[in-house]
């Protein structure tokens, strides 16, 4: 199972891969064309539009009005960011406390975190 498959459904994951690889925002029609390229059973426009709208509602995609529709782009950089955001949303401070417990119990993780915090400061 890929990291993305742990946090998103199959079609959501396909859409996110396309948007992460894109140079900029894409419309539903552009995503649909890329998804249906080489696909035996074509996806419907409304299916892709619904999934992309739901990803935007979840904060995984951002969207800007473009003509009569929207242009979408990834709001989060990768599967790990989606997972962390979901855990923090669902568990809040308890998740942070458990993370600290895990890092405290692992000297190498503690050192990696220390280095990351130095870079961010």
């Amino acid at each position: 199972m890929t990291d993305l498959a742990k946090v998103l459904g199959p079609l959501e994951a396909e859409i996110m891969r396309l948007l992460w690889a894109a140079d900029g925002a894409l419309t539903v029609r552009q995503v649909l064309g890329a998804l249906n390229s080489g696909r035996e059973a074509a996806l419907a426009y409304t299916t892709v539009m619904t999934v992309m709208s739901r990803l935007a509602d979840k904060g995984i995609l951002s969207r800007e009005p473009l003509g009569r529709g929207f242009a979408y782009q990834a709001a989060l950089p990768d599967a790990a960011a989606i997972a962390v955001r979901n855990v923090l949303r669902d568990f809040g401070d308890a998740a942070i406390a458990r993370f600290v417990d895990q890092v405290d119990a692992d000297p190498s993780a503690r050192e990696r975190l220390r280095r990351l915090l130095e870079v961010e400061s």
Side-chain angles (χ1 to χ4, degrees):
M1 178 181 289
T2 67
D3 290 342
L4 199 49
K6 294 175 185 175
V7 293
L8 297 175
L11 183 53
E12 291 175 323
E14 280 187 78
I15 291 169
M16 289 309 299
R17 282 188 203 96
L18 282 171
L19 287 165
W20 280 322
D23 287 333
L26 299 175
T27 64
V28 172
R29 190 147 318 277
Q30 289 170 313
V31 171
L32 177 68
L35 289 172
N36 281 340
S37 177
R39 193 181 213 107
E40 192 170 308
L43 296 167
Y45 178 90
T46 54
T47 299
V48 175
M49 179 184 66
T50 299
V51 172
M52 291 176 70
S53 179
R54 288 181 180 162
L55 287 169
D57 291 344
K58 294 176 186 179
I60 296 171
L61 292 180
S62 63
R63 64 180 164 208
E64 294 294 326
L66 180 67
R68 293 176 43 204
F70 294 97
Y72 293 82
Q73 60 187 11
L76 298 171
D78 54 32
I82 295 169
V84 168
R85 192 212 44 158
N86 289 348
V87 168
L88 289 174
R89 180 197 63 219
D90 295 344
F91 297 99
D93 288 348
I96 294 170
R98 297 295 84 64
F99 178 78
V100 169
D101 291 345
Q102 289 295 313
V103 168
D104 194 43
D106 180 349
S108 66
R110 189 176 328 122
E111 179 57 26
R112 288 192 313 272
L113 181 58
R114 186 190 62 72
R115 286 193 312 268
L116 287 170
L117 289 171
E118 284 177 359
V119 170
E120 294 295 320
S121 298

